[in-house]
Amino acid sequence: MFRLTLKRILKDWRLVGVLLLTMSLAAGFLAFGPMYVRMIAAASLQQRVSTEIERTFQLTLRNQTVLDRDFVDNTVDTTLGAYAGEMRQFYAAQPWICASPRGCYRPYAFSEFDSLFALKEGRLPSNTPQNGIDVEAVVLPRMTEMDRAYIGQQFILGEDSDTAITVEVVGIVDALLPETAPYWEGMTIFDVVNTPVGDNTRPDVSFIVSEDAYLEHVTVAVTDIDRIVMWRVMLNREWFTAARADDFLMAYHDFSQAMRLEAPNINLNTGVVDLLESFQRSVEEAQAPVILLSFLIFALMLYNCITIAALLMEQRQEEWIMFSSRGSSTLQLVQMQVIINLLLAIAALVGGLVIAWLTLLILATVGPQADVLGMPEISLIQMDTFALLAIALVLIVIGLTIPTYVAATRSLAVLKQAMARPPQTPIWARFGLDFGLIALGLIFVVRLVSQVANVPLETIISQPEQLLDVLTSQDFGAQLNDPFTLAAPALLIMGSALLWMRLFPLIVSGIGRLTEVRNGLTSRLAFWNVARDPAHYAQLVLLLIITLSLGTASILLDAARQENSRSVAVAQVGADAAIDVIPAEYDDSFDPMTLPGVEAASDMMVVPVNAAREITLLGVDPAELDAFPDLATPLNVLHDIAAPDLGGLQVSEEAQTIALDIMSLPDESAETSTTIAAFVDLIDTRGLFLSMELVPQSRTSPGTFSTYQTNPLPCVGPWTLLGIRLTAEQAGNDDFVHTVIMDALVAGGTSQQLASFDADTLDDWRWERGSDQMIENASLIPETERYTQGDGALLVRYSVETYGPRMTQPALVYRPVVEQPMPVLISPAFAEAYGTRSSLRRPLDVGDTITTELIIQEGFQTAYISNRSIPSRTLNMRYTVAGIIPEMPMFEPDALYLVTTTEWLQLTLNQDASLGEFHEPNRTLLKLNGERPSSDFYTATETIPGLLKATAAWDIYQQLLRDPLTNAITGVLLVGFWISLILGIIDFAFYMIVTIRRRAMSLATLKAIGWRNRNILGLLAIEQSIVIVPALIIGLIFGVGLTLVLQPMLGIHTALVIPVTIWALPLILIVAFALTLVSVMQLVYRNSVQIMRFGE
Amino acid sequence: MTAFIDCDNLVKIYKVADLEVVALQGLELAIDQGEMIALVGPSGSGKSTLMNILGGLDTPSAGHVMVGEHDLLEMSRKQQVNYRRNVVGFVWQQTARNLLPYLTAQENVELPMTFTRIKPQERRERAVDLLTQVGLAERLDFRPQQLSGGEQQRVALAVALANQPQLLIADEPTGEVDSEAAAGIFDTMRHLNEAFGVTIVIVTHDPDVAQRVNRVVGIRDGRVSVEVLRRGEGGVDLTHEEFVVLDRTGRLQLPQGYLDVLAMQKRVIVRLHDDHIGIYPDKMEEA
């Protein structure tokens, strides 16, 4: 039997080859899906690796005790190998060590000092200091600002006099690595740290000593600190590829274990692990749906394989008849063919792998994602590849046994000449299986929707349109893990397929009758031919419909995915591009419009607030936003918001000082003289409050005017004068009344007179509380009257009293503004979260005014400059809801955000800020003249002073295009379309060959009565059209439907996008079948001639 | 002696759409073992149906048929397969149905034995022996396209006898060959009949073949109508007589020609004479 089988294979090598190709295509397709997922994920990983910040590739080890350096080196080498690059060790301590004289310090020591620092001034520390100094130290340049540290500075560390050490700063060094280098993360060696202590701040200094000095002296002197020993290993970025992901994670695991054996409490941290695990997760998450979809499409291909195999066996019918006549049983016939199928399956294991690989290669070269995919690597082939190939081939062999069995029993029937009898109605049609399956499928759909998707049954019945909404919703996609979920579409599809088989002959007959009214034989004959064998034509049409649906869905999904990615990218950034800056380092004179390709720019202030859920406070300039319609539209209400009123007196921008003439009248009852003090309170447009003392410019004497003047106003401005505060001191007297006369409040350096105090009344001036007591005690309000000598001045008689630790300081304020809540637009999530927490106990609504306490960081939160310590403070933010924004770019739908004008936000946030740390615009949105920024744009942004990062929507778009799941689904559909098309063409070609052979006599007869070859071609072309036209129309419609269902499942929420390339599908189909027809026509020419000769 | 093939009142009805076709209408036939007969009859007479039944390819609707010890009406499907494999051999008119073009003559003869449990060595020996018997010992490795038509049919005979069947059914074995080849084929069949004692039933339209067998059975309208017996010695016909077959119930089919001459249609008058039975037209009907 085996020899016979081999001979049969050799004899029919062409047909066997076609069967092998068919099996390889189908099996290769099933194996292709997971490989493609890995390929896309690898491309995505590659892009992330290449753009990820350097800090991600740093491995930090932190321990409290010193470890043997050789041990650490060896462990790194043996476990991490080539992944690890340079390693550096350093020592630090926590918390700050307060020393004497006053001041607190933090020591650092570096094992690789020479490669990290260069001497700038003074000298490097010696390990043998002289002159009673125990430890010599160096500092970095900014430490010496405001004389916080200086060469020659000495301080003592340690409270125990026996072990205390004297430290002297002997030099200033520069860091050789850039300040933004990840190595410096968390280190405080660059700047003095202002540590909050009560209401004040304490400047803390970090210094650097040698490793020996640290270990031998510092750790001995100071025992009540946490000693920190750290190693930082830079991992080699170029080593991190998808192929090595598993390898590195295993190596890292081994490394961690080895280190923890030696130091159980050691802490290890690297961003690479998250990166690689995220990659692995993305592959895992995409694999399941891709494999599921692949199996569904594979079922179609399996059906194609079965019909092709059936046609092939029909070609061998005579042979099988002969076997039957020689006494072979049906089982033996099946056995012979199964042996062939098994041998082919083994060959298809390799063939399928080749097909899968070639498919990847084609997609990487000319596919729709060719520009984001790299070349396929061997690592893409894993165990699941072979497992899927094996499963596919087992299913194919089982599937091909069906037509084998049918052919075997048919051979006996033909032998009995039973095939001469007309075919009976199939069993499924006799028992209405098609209707039954459809009804059952609908029941499952109703079950699915009502139970799984939580929509009541009555709702579905009364509002059937809700069914479609549920089926196309994102939540529905999550139900795919319910096995019964697939039962519904499976039953519906099977039932619909059988119903199609029932209806197709009726349709063809109906159309055929319509064509009968026309003269001409061709179309009538064509329809009659099709009507005679509707089963196979119906199957072929069905297969083509599904094939075309796959292609249509693939193209539409890809277009929608690109459009969606583009929208999401722009929405994430808020515009075409955005630049984030560190305001303190930013040059305000820089004009972003000078960047290449920039058409419009809009500054904004983005302030993240740490809370249980992160909140973002956003300040924008409505006028500048008009160039960004996506943002301008939801924020349109901001145009109607009035600018905050600062009150006060606007001081000229050219003002250098504020000056006030004051005459202090002598107190006759006082035993000692009275010393007065005056202050001006200022505020600028950023809400920064400044109180400056008015200092007498000359020696004062009671009874004469002296000019009191502030120091030069800080450059941050322009300023608004809010008011003047007065106080006085009498030695030994805390409770007295004093009188001063004030005249001529001027802006120094200009001709601006802020107030003359000549009028009889104070007009817009009024006394404001200098303390809480002034509100309660009217006697504390100063008396004023006009001083009539000279041009006129203001006489002020005021009480000085002490209430606890505070003294009253009456303030004369100009046009004070009643507390004004900040008008804001908020997100629905914010309204819900903070409204329910407030006294309102309900979501916030337009018009509500509440106060919310937030913890905000001073100045600009620099998540990326982690070597700076930025204090935070409590802000009581009072605001009025001017609008609720349902959705807006830059934020997720459920994000907590609050938007107002930059003016308002600054005024609110900076109310207690210092001149050194305040909030100001830190992001600029850019509108570009093209979708993709030019390379000049990227180059130019790198030179922006104070740049933190520049983000282009294009880059995010490219990243989103690399999303494994959507890419893989689209790719599987596209490849599924092409392979199904090839199988369909093979099926069709074989069917044409078989039928032409079967119809050889009738075709020859037609030629004998005068038909030419072109008439026969026309006949066959019409028969083809009966197959292709419904497939085209229905396939395109089904493809659109499939797209609409898949889009929300893949998180694509754009409207349907129909690219021009969609019309390529019907064209491909028509061309493919036309070529097949032309090829098969050769058989017509040959056969007809033979038949005619036979008749001689 | 019990006949080897005994058909008793054989009936076969086919249903074609809503139409019932009675292919065999109570056919009766007895063939002794080792006999070589020809089966003749016009198209639609039922000879293909009878062949299918005798070949185990079909089962009768009614009646009784025994081939050797095999009751063809009571056979299960598995028994039918064994019957086709071991009891009956077929020779078809078309070479394509007899021989596989990609196998040699020897391999073709070995093919039916592949479906049995005969060991390969025994298969080869038997194949060589059979081909020798049919005079093709020098053609063992020839493929069918390398053999003449007559040689192909002789190989087909060897193939049919591969599993040592008791019955050989040949359907127009000489239909596609010239007269010389036909003679050779027929001689081979006679040789095999004598050498192996195999019962041979030849379905044919060829009058030459009909003349070469001792018994010709004519079938018409699903019944055996006539038989021609030849008796002779040494291959020389001594007597040749044509009989109208009388079945067990006493029915016979009168030749149509006779009926037409005497205008006999519905009823006839039968009169017993001393040594014959006279059949006369119904004069009253004529009148």
Side-chain angles (χ1 to χ4, degrees):
Chain A
M1 185 85 73
F2 191 73
R3 274 185 59 205
L4 176 64
T5 305
L6 286 179
K7 281 186 177 279
R8 289 183 69 217
I9 292 173
L10 285 171
K11 186 255 175 186
D12 284 330
W13 64 271
R14 286 190 195 88
L15 297 180
V16 168
V18 169
L19 197 55
L20 177 62
L21 175 65
T22 303
M23 292 166 82
S24 298
L25 283 170
F29 170 77
L30 194 64
F32 151 82
M35 293 168 72
Y36 189 50
V37 168
R38 280 193 285 275
M39 189 159 134
I40 297 164
S44 174
L45 176 66
Q46 201 55 41
Q47 202 247 0
R48 284 188 64 189
V49 166
S50 63
T51 58
E52 199 66 37
I53 59 173
E54 217 181 327
R55 188 164 61 115
T56 305
F57 297 94
Q58 178 168 268
L59 169 60
T60 301
L61 294 85
R62 178 184 166 130
N63 201 36
Q64 288 194 324
T65 55
V66 177
L67 295 177
D68 179 34
R69 180 59 190 256
D70 286 339
F71 165 77
V72 179
D73 279 342
N74 284 338
T75 308
V76 168
D77 281 340
T78 52
T79 55
L80 299 179
Y83 292 108
E86 199 168 16
M87 184 174 81
R88 294 192 178 96
Q89 182 182 349
F90 70 93
Y91 306 82
Q94 263 183 215
W96 297 94
I97 306 166
C98 292
S100 59
R102 64 188 180 133
C104 295
Y105 301 89
R106 176 174 286 154
Y108 282 86
F110 296 88
S111 301
E112 288 82 13
F113 185 94
D114 293 336
S115 65
L116 293 170
F117 304 103
L119 182 66
K120 181 178 177 181
E121 195 179 328
R123 60 179 176 82
L124 294 175
S126 159
N127 278 334
T128 53
Q130 308 293 322
N131 301 327
I133 302 300
D134 299 300
V135 170
E136 291 183 347
V138 290
V139 294
L140 268 72
R142 289 206 298 273
M143 251 348 131
T144 62
E145 285 173 5
M146 301 180 71
D147 287 337
R148 303 290 187 205
Y150 51 89
I151 294 176
Q153 178 189 21
Q154 291 183 3
F155 49 89
I156 298 169
L157 295 183
E159 292 176 357
D160 186 339
S161 57
D162 293 332
T163 55
I165 54 172
T166 304
V167 180
E168 181 178 356
V169 177
V170 298
I172 300 171
V173 294
D174 281 325
L176 293 176
L177 295 179
E179 194 173 331
T180 53
Y183 181 69
W184 305 121
E185 180 187 355
M187 295 189 206
T188 55
I189 58 174
F190 288 91
D191 292 287
V192 171
V193 175
N194 293 313
T195 306
V197 179
D199 289 337
N200 299 313
T201 58
R202 182 189 72 207
D204 294 335
V205 171
S206 299
F207 62 93
I208 302 165
V209 300
S210 69
E211 187 175 2
D212 290 339
Y214 181 87
L215 293 172
E216 290 172 12
H217 295 287
V218 176
T219 55
V220 172
V222 189
T223 54
D224 58 344
I225 54 171
D226 288 335
R227 293 187 195 86
I228 302 165
V229 186
M230 291 183 81
W231 296 261
R232 290 228 159 108
V233 183
M234 275 317 292
L235 301 171
N236 292 318
R237 181 193 295 252
E238 63 275 10
W239 268 78
F240 292 97
T241 64
R244 296 195 185 111
D246 289 342
D247 179 65
F248 174 77
L249 289 172
M250 278 176 53
Y252 183 75
H253 174 74
D254 293 339
F255 173 72
S256 307
Q257 281 201 319
M259 294 304 298
R260 289 205 168 93
L261 271 175
E262 185 70 17
N265 295 322
I266 194 167
N267 179 273
L268 298 101
N269 192 336
T270 176
V272 170
V273 170
D274 287 340
L275 188 67
L276 296 180
E277 286 179 345
S278 151
F279 156 71
Q280 287 183 327
R281 263 195 313 276
S282 68
V283 171
E284 279 168 19
E285 284 167 2
Q287 294 278 34
V290 164
I291 291 176
L292 179 65
L293 181 63
S294 297
F295 264 104
L296 289 175
I297 300 173
F298 173 76
L300 164 72
M301 294 179 183
L302 183 60
Y303 188 65
N304 243 322
C305 290
I306 293 171
T307 54
I308 291 171
L311 287 169
L312 291 178
M313 273 173 257
E314 200 171 316
Q315 301 258 48
R316 312 289 2 121
Q317 201 175 69
E318 286 296 324
E319 185 183 72
W320 286 49
I321 291 168
M322 199 269 270
F323 288 150
S324 290
S325 71
R326 299 304 173 203
S328 74
S329 62
T330 304
L331 187 61
Q332 283 175 320
L333 290 177
V334 172
Q335 192 181 346
M336 272 197 287
Q337 189 61 34
V338 167
I339 291 173
I340 294 178
N341 292 344
L342 283 171
L343 290 172
L344 289 180
I346 292 169
L349 206 60
V350 175
L353 194 60
V354 170
I355 295 284
W357 187 261
L358 280 175
T359 308
L360 290 175
L361 201 59
I362 291 169
L363 284 174
T365 313
V366 297
Q369 299 302 323
D371 54 345
V372 306
L373 294 174
M375 281 292 128
E377 295 179 352
I378 292 294
S379 61
L380 295 177
I381 302 173
Q382 297 189 3
M383 281 312 296
D384 60 4
T385 308
F386 295 104
L388 286 169
L389 279 171
I391 291 171
L393 290 167
V394 165
L395 290 173
I396 289 172
V397 169
I398 293 171
L400 293 188
T401 307
I402 301 170
T404 304
Y405 180 79
V406 169
T409 51
R410 185 183 293 184
S411 67
L412 195 59
V414 171
L415 196 59
K416 290 169 18 177
Q417 298 171 351
M419 290 307 292
R421 299 181 197 145
Q424 293 180 318
T425 310
I427 293 175
W428 61 265
R430 272 186 270 157
F431 291 99
L433 188 62
D434 46 348
F435 298 114
L437 287 172
I438 290 173
L440 204 58
L442 286 173
I443 291 170
F444 267 91
V445 168
V446 167
R447 171 200 173 273
L448 174 69
V449 171
S450 65
Q451 288 184 20
V452 176
N454 265 336
V455 177
L457 186 57
E458 337 30 292
T459 307
I460 300 169
I461 294 170
S462 60
Q463 298 169 10
E465 64 276 7
Q466 286 222 10
L467 184 64
L468 186 62
D469 291 338
V470 171
L471 289 174
T472 56
S473 72
Q474 201 166 354
D475 292 337
F476 182 77
Q479 305 304 329
L480 286 178
N481 53 2
D482 179 355
F484 285 102
T485 304
L486 294 179
L491 290 167
L492 283 173
I493 288 169
M494 276 165 46
S496 303
L498 291 176
L499 182 62
W500 168 258
M501 301 280 282
R502 182 194 289 272
L503 294 177
F504 183 77
L506 301 174
I507 295 168
V508 170
S509 298
I511 298 173
R513 282 203 196 95
L514 287 174
T515 60
E516 280 175 6
V517 299
R518 294 178 57 230
N519 285 331
L521 191 59
T522 311
S523 56
R524 269 185 276 173
L525 256 184
F527 279 95
W528 184 73
N529 282 326
V530 172
R532 280 182 66 211
D533 188 14
H536 194 87
Y537 278 102
Q539 285 175 30
L540 195 56
V541 173
L542 198 59
L543 290 170
L544 283 177
I545 287 171
I546 299 172
T547 301
L548 207 55
S549 302
L550 294 176
T552 306
S554 162
I555 291 177
L556 294 180
L557 265 180
D558 192 53
R561 185 176 67 91
Q562 291 194 32
E563 184 60 35
N564 188 68
S565 299
R566 208 173 279 117
S567 308
V568 166
V570 170
Q572 266 187 30
V573 177
D576 295 331
I579 47 177
D580 290 323
V581 298
I582 304 168
E585 298 175 12
Y586 184 62
D587 182 358
D588 289 331
S589 65
F590 176 78
D591 182 5
M593 296 294 291
T594 60
L595 291 169
V598 172
E599 289 183 346
S602 173
D603 291 335
M604 53 173 51
M605 196 161 96
V606 183
V607 182
V609 176
N610 286 335
R613 281 174 63 192
E614 188 177 277
I615 307 166
T616 305
L617 308 179
L618 185 67
V620 300
D621 182 344
E624 286 182 354
L625 271 190
D626 288 339
F628 302 87
D630 288 343
L631 277 171
T633 305
L635 301 179
N636 199 33
V637 176
L638 291 178
H639 282 287
D640 301 329
I641 291 178
D645 186 3
L646 298 176
L649 271 173
Q650 192 71 34
V651 178
S652 167
E653 285 190 42
E654 282 81 36
Q656 294 167 8
T657 61
I658 307 286
L660 176 66
D661 291 338
I662 303 176
M663 179 199 301
S664 177
L665 295 181
D667 289 322
E668 291 163 1
S669 60
E671 292 174 4
T672 59
S673 61
T674 305
T675 307
I676 65 167
F679 300 85
V680 286
D681 292 332
L682 303 163
I683 191 169
D684 79 343
T685 52
R686 280 161 289 216
L688 287 170
F689 181 82
L690 183 66
S691 183
M692 296 189 78
E693 186 176 359
L694 291 161
V695 176
Q697 298 303 295
S698 57
R699 190 181 170 79
T700 61
S701 56
T704 58
F705 274 105
S706 296
T707 299
Y708 286 68
Q709 187 173 289
T710 64
N711 284 333
L713 295 174
C715 301
V716 206
W719 295 100
T720 298
L721 178 79
L722 294 177
I724 306 165
R725 278 183 295 116
L726 299 170
T727 189
E729 279 184 8
Q730 278 185 7
N733 194 355
D734 291 338
D735 189 350
F736 59 92
V737 176
H738 187 63
T739 304
V740 296
I741 301 169
M742 301 192 304
D743 193 13
L745 179 69
V746 299
T750 71
S751 58
Q752 183 189 22
Q753 187 179 64
L754 295 167
S756 64
F757 296 125
D758 291 344
D760 290 332
T761 61
L762 284 176
D763 294 331
D764 292 322
W765 292 93
R766 76 159 198 270
W767 289 104
E768 194 52 54
R769 62 178 183 179
S771 71
D772 295 336
Q773 286 71 23
M774 189 170 280
I775 299 293
E776 297 161 6
N777 190 348
S779 67
L780 292 177
I781 298 175
E783 296 170 10
T784 56
E785 61 187 67
R786 189 162 185 270
Y787 182 74
T788 55
Q789 290 190 21
D791 293 335
L794 180 70
L795 187 146
V796 180
R797 190 176 295 111
Y798 59 97
S799 300
V800 177
E801 294 181 23
T802 305
Y803 288 87
R806 303 174 68 180
M807 296 179 77
T808 58
Q809 291 186 353
L812 186 63
V813 297
Y814 188 83
R815 207 173 59 80
V817 175
V818 176
E819 182 194 309
Q820 40 188 352
M822 177 172 64
V824 299
L825 305 177
I826 57 176
S827 66
F830 187 99
E832 169 76 29
Y834 284 88
T836 49
R837 267 180 236 178
S838 71
S839 56
L840 296 172
R841 297 280 187 264
R842 59 161 173 79
L844 295 174
D845 205 349
V846 176
D848 289 336
T849 300
I850 66 167
T851 302
T852 297
E853 186 179 282
L854 300 171
I855 309 292
I856 62 168
Q857 287 189 328
E858 293 290 1
F860 178 71
Q861 183 193 9
T862 55
Y864 300 100
I865 304 181
S866 51
N867 59 328
R868 292 189 179 176
S869 170
I870 300 173
S872 57
R873 61 182 166 87
T874 302
L875 170 71
N876 284 308
M877 186 173 73
R878 187 155 179 81
Y879 52 95
T880 298
V881 179
I884 298 177
I885 314 165
E887 58 179 12
M888 81 173 251
M890 295 169 58
F891 296 106
E892 297 291 327
D894 61 347
L896 301 177
Y897 54 86
L898 177 151
V899 186
T900 185
T901 62
T902 304
E903 283 177 305
W904 271 107
L905 191 61
Q906 277 192 297
L907 189 64
T908 305
L909 296 184
N910 290 336
Q911 53 186 282
D912 292 325
S914 67
L915 290 185
E917 294 285 354
F918 59 92
H919 292 274
E920 56 179 337
N922 54 12
R923 178 176 295 180
T924 302
L925 297 184
L926 302 173
K927 182 171 160 51
L928 304 177
N929 59 7
E931 189 180 49
R932 184 173 185 169
S934 62
S935 55
D936 291 338
F937 172 83
Y938 288 108
T939 309
T941 53
E942 285 171 12
T943 62
I944 295 174
L947 177 75
L948 192 57
K949 63 173 178 172
T951 312
W954 174 262
D955 295 331
I956 296 178
Y957 166 62
Q958 291 297 304
Q959 234 173 39
L960 292 172
L961 283 185
R962 288 167 170 81
D963 173 63
L965 179 59
T966 48
N967 249 312
I969 295 289
T970 313
V972 163
L973 289 174
L974 183 67
V975 172
F977 159 72
W978 279 105
I979 293 183
S980 296
L981 184 63
I982 294 170
L983 292 175
I985 290 170
I986 294 174
D987 188 352
F988 179 77
F990 264 105
Y991 184 70
M992 290 295 288
I993 291 169
V994 167
T995 53
I996 283 172
R997 284 190 178 149
R998 220 188 276 155
R999 292 159 64 183
M1001 186 62 79
S1002 65
L1003 292 176
T1005 306
L1006 289 172
K1007 291 187 84 169
I1009 62 172
W1011 275 40
R1012 297 199 183 123
N1013 285 335
R1014 59 183 170 87
N1015 298 116
I1016 296 178
L1017 184 62
L1019 173 70
L1020 296 175
I1022 294 175
E1023 288 175 20
Q1024 271 203 51
S1025 305
I1026 296 170
V1027 168
I1028 295 174
V1029 169
L1032 276 175
I1033 297 168
I1034 301 172
L1036 283 170
I1037 294 170
F1038 275 26
V1040 170
L1042 184 62
T1043 306
L1044 289 174
V1045 170
L1046 284 177
Q1047 268 191 203
M1049 289 185 186
L1050 298 174
I1052 298 172
H1053 301 291
T1054 57
L1056 198 65
V1057 178
I1058 302 182
V1060 171
T1061 49
I1062 195 72
W1063 303 114
L1065 282 179
L1067 202 60
I1068 290 168
L1069 201 68
I1070 292 168
V1071 167
F1073 279 79
L1075 288 174
T1076 310
L1077 177 62
V1078 166
S1079 309
V1080 165
M1081 275 302 290
Q1082 302 303 316
L1083 202 61
V1084 172
Y1085 303 149
R1086 205 154 32 97
N1087 272 355
S1088 61
V1089 169
Q1090 282 180 349
I1091 290 292
M1092 291 182 82
R1093 283 187 189 154
F1094 216 67
E1096 287 175 1
Chain B
M1 189 172 77
T2 313
F4 174 64
I5 297 174
D6 186 15
C7 301
D8 178 17
N9 206 15
L10 211 54
V11 175
K12 178 66 184 179
I13 302 171
Y14 294 113
K15 194 157 181 187
V16 179
D18 294 325
L19 195 64
E20 281 192 346
V21 175
V22 184
L24 298 178
Q25 302 185 32
L27 182 141
E28 292 193 2
L29 178 64
I31 304 171
D32 293 329
Q33 185 150 18
E35 236 187 311
M36 184 162 147
I37 73 163
L39 211 59
V40 298
S43 295
S45 60
K47 53 180 198 303
S48 296
T49 306
L50 176 62
M51 189 175 66
N52 283 341
I53 291 172
L54 292 179
L57 300 173
D58 211 346
T59 46
S61 305
H64 185 63
V65 54
M66 295 287 293
V67 176
E69 293 170 356
H70 303 275
D71 183 347
L72 300 191
L73 206 65
E74 300 297 329
M75 282 200 299
S76 64
R77 190 170 289 189
K78 188 176 175 185
Q79 287 170 331
Q80 281 185 350
V81 170
N82 283 330
Y83 176 81
R84 283 197 302 276
R85 188 180 294 167
N86 299 311
V87 178
V88 67
F90 290 91
V91 176
W92 307 102
Q93 180 178 355
Q94 306 94 338
T95 308
R97 207 175 264 202
N98 288 320
L99 306 174
L100 289 174
Y102 52 90
L103 297 180
T104 64
Q106 182 176 345
E107 287 167 345
N108 266 292
V109 176
E110 288 180 28
L111 177 65
M113 291 183 267
T114 309
F115 301 125
T116 66
R117 296 200 180 168
I118 300 174
K119 294 196 177 82
Q121 179 62 29
E122 192 181 334
R123 267 189 246 154
R124 282 192 284 276
E125 287 171 0
R126 200 189 291 184
V128 171
D129 180 47
L130 279 170
L131 286 169
T132 305
Q133 291 284 347
V134 300
L136 293 173
E138 282 95 43
R139 298 280 196 268
L140 298 179
D141 296 326
F142 280 52
R143 291 216 156 82
Q145 54 267 33
Q146 296 169 308
L147 302 170
S148 66
E151 286 172 338
Q152 286 176 11
Q153 285 300 70
R154 280 190 276 157
V155 174
L157 283 169
V159 171
L161 293 177
N163 285 330
Q164 297 173 326
Q166 297 168 286
L167 171 65
L168 176 67
I169 300 176
D171 180 17
E172 296 283 1
T174 58
E176 292 188 357
V177 298
D178 57 36
S179 51
E180 189 181 338
I185 291 166
F186 193 79
D187 287 342
T188 305
M189 289 170 77
R190 183 169 289 290
H191 167 72
L192 293 171
N193 172 246
E194 289 167 2
F196 295 107
V198 59
T199 307
I200 299 179
V201 175
I202 306 170
V203 176
T204 185
H205 289 116
D206 187 349
D208 283 341
V209 171
Q211 284 173 8
R212 286 172 181 270
V213 298
N214 293 333
R215 181 178 168 202
V216 177
V217 174
I219 295 181
R220 198 176 93 210
D221 293 330
R223 290 199 192 98
V224 174
S225 58
V226 294
E227 279 193 30
V228 176
L229 291 175
R230 288 191 176 85
R231 297 188 182 92
E233 288 179 11
V236 178
D237 281 350
L238 300 178
T239 60
H240 168 189
E241 202 155 356
E242 186 168 323
F243 299 89
V244 174
V245 174
L246 191 68
D247 69 18
R248 292 198 177 96
T249 63
R251 290 176 296 191
L252 57 79
Q253 284 191 355
L254 297 174
Q256 189 64 40
Y258 293 3
L259 297 174
D260 293 340
V261 166
L262 296 178
M264 290 182 177
Q265 290 182 359
K266 291 181 187 172
R267 289 183 291 269
V268 295
I269 298 170
V270 178
R271 291 215 168 90
L272 177 64
H273 297 278
D274 291 337
D275 59 349
H276 69 278
I277 295 169
I279 301 174
Y280 306 96
D282 182 3
K283 294 276 195 285
M284 293 205 45
E285 184 70 24
E286 281 178 42

